[in-house]
Amino acid sequence: MRTIGVANPLRGAGTSTPLTRVERLTFLALVAIGVGLGCIFLLTANADEVGSAAFQLALTTAFALFAWAPAVAAVVLLASMGGALLVGDGGATLVALAVAMGCVVRTTTWPVAATFAGGFLLSAVATLGSWSTIPSLVGTLLVAMVSGAVGLTLAKVSAREVRLEHQIVLQERQQREAALTERQRIADELHDVIAHDLTVIAMYSRVLEQPIDTDLHAQAHQTIKESADKALRDLRRVVDRTQQDAVLVDHPHESLGQAIECAQSELHGVGSRLLADVSLPPHGLPRVLDRAMARIVRESMTNALKYGAA
């Protein structure tokens, strides 16, 4: 898998865009075809052409380096001009460098590509008059320009693909985090609200099993009914939230005073008493603080009913 990190189609000085899997396989297939043809030419070459054929075969094989080490491939191809001087094949080597221009632009950094382009121009000047003429040199330069343009286009396409992959990864990560956050919010609400109502129902059911007076018996029945209705409403609200935008849905706010009154009533029904000395500001507590304190009271009440002594 390629490293995702290229945001600018016109790459930075230190950024390269390696070949994709499809590009690598296609490129190696073309190199293999060229090597095969080179082998045929080498086997059928005359004695005075063996050196040139062997050199061209090695030069074609060097193109395979672009699949794994593009910078090394660029250096090897530039250095091949020295070998071309020995075997007298500068013109063909210059054409190979022109074709390689697109590979260099596609796969390497801008400094490497600029160095390769400079070496190519120097090689073109060096071959002028000895292995190439003005028309052939112009044709080779046009090949280099076309090859470089193709390489630049492919680099832009690859950079755009990498950028889109990066955006998809970020979106998937955000979706997973949002889903996890929503599940956590639902779990907290089930624990804070519905679990409390079910605890009250269980405790008052035990109260009904004991010998109690008529008023307390009626209060226990009424509390069980109210807690069951409230649990159903809260459960329906939680289910509705899963079908809507969680950001836009807000659950009913229970104030600290309401939580304390509810706790007093519930404890009274099981034969206990809650002494509360509360002094709230005239305009009430801030909404966040009021809600937090109410949840603390409700959670404390749930724990008292579940784990407290008879």
Side-chain angles (χ1 to χ4, degrees):
M1 179 179 293
R2 290 178 298 160
T3 301
I4 296 176
V6 180
N8 188 351
L10 298 177
R11 307 183 306 274
T15 304
S16 60
T17 55
L19 295 175
T20 64
R21 180 181 178 84
V22 175
E23 288 176 330
R24 183 180 292 111
L25 292 177
T26 304
F27 183 77
L28 290 177
L30 294 176
V31 172
I33 294 174
V35 170
L37 295 176
C39 291
I40 296 174
F41 180 72
L42 178 62
L43 294 175
T44 59
N46 298 326
D48 56 345
E49 297 177 343
V50 171
S52 176
F55 179 78
Q56 291 299 323
L57 178 60
L59 191 63
T60 303
T61 305
F63 272 78
L65 291 173
F66 280 107
W68 298 283
V72 175
V75 172
V76 170
L77 291 176
L78 280 179
S80 66
M81 282 302 299
L85 296 176
L86 297 177
V87 299
D89 203 6
T93 303
L94 188 64
V95 174
L97 294 182
V99 174
M101 184 68 69
C103 299
V104 174
V105 174
R106 167 63 184 84
T107 58
T108 64
T109 61
W110 279 117
V112 174
T115 301
F116 184 87
F120 170 78
L121 292 177
L122 290 177
S123 300
V125 173
T127 60
L128 184 62
S130 56
W131 292 292
S132 63
T133 61
I134 294 296
S136 63
L137 180 60
V138 171
T140 304
L141 292 177
L142 289 176
V143 171
M145 292 176 59
V146 172
S147 178
V150 172
L152 181 60
T153 301
L154 292 177
K156 289 182 178 181
V157 172
S158 178
R160 181 175 180 274
E161 180 183 348
V162 172
R163 185 169 60 251
L164 292 177
E165 289 179 0
H166 182 62
Q167 293 176 353
I168 292 174
V169 170
L170 290 180
Q171 290 176 355
E172 291 178 348
R173 184 183 306 166
Q174 292 172 354
Q175 290 175 355
R176 288 195 300 268
E177 292 176 353
L180 180 61
T181 300
E182 182 61 16
R183 287 196 296 267
Q184 186 62 47
R185 291 176 64 179
I186 293 174
D188 290 343
E189 194 160 343
L190 289 173
H191 176 269
D192 294 340
V193 179
I194 299 178
H196 174 79
D197 295 329
L198 296 179
T199 300
V200 171
I201 292 173
M203 293 301 301
Y204 273 84
S205 297
R206 297 192 186 99
V207 170
L208 292 177
E209 296 174 355
Q210 302 174 5
I212 54 178
D213 57 53
T214 305
D215 292 339
L216 190 57
H217 191 280
Q219 180 181 349
H221 269 295
Q222 182 64 23
T223 302
I224 291 175
K225 180 180 180 302
E226 293 175 354
S227 297
D229 292 340
K230 186 174 183 299
L232 289 175
R233 290 195 304 270
D234 291 333
L235 182 59
R236 187 178 299 111
R237 176 169 52 82
V238 172
V239 172
D240 290 341
R241 287 188 61 187
T242 62
Q243 302 173 353
Q244 303 179 38
D245 188 351
V247 177
L248 302 178
V249 179
D250 192 15
H251 53 77
H253 170 56
E254 180 183 38
S255 66
L256 175 59
Q258 292 172 339
I260 293 176
E261 292 178 0
C262 181
Q264 287 176 321
S265 175
E266 291 171 350
L267 283 176
H268 177 73
V270 295
S272 300
R273 184 173 56 163
L274 173 64
L275 299 178
D277 184 7
V278 182
S279 178
L280 298 175
H283 301 290
L285 295 173
R287 181 181 178 86
V288 175
L289 180 59
D290 193 35
R291 177 175 296 182
M293 295 298 294
R295 293 182 65 177
I296 291 173
V297 170
R298 177 174 288 277
E299 180 65 19
S300 301
M301 179 62 193
T302 302
N303 292 334
L305 290 175
K306 290 174 63 176
Y307 307 115

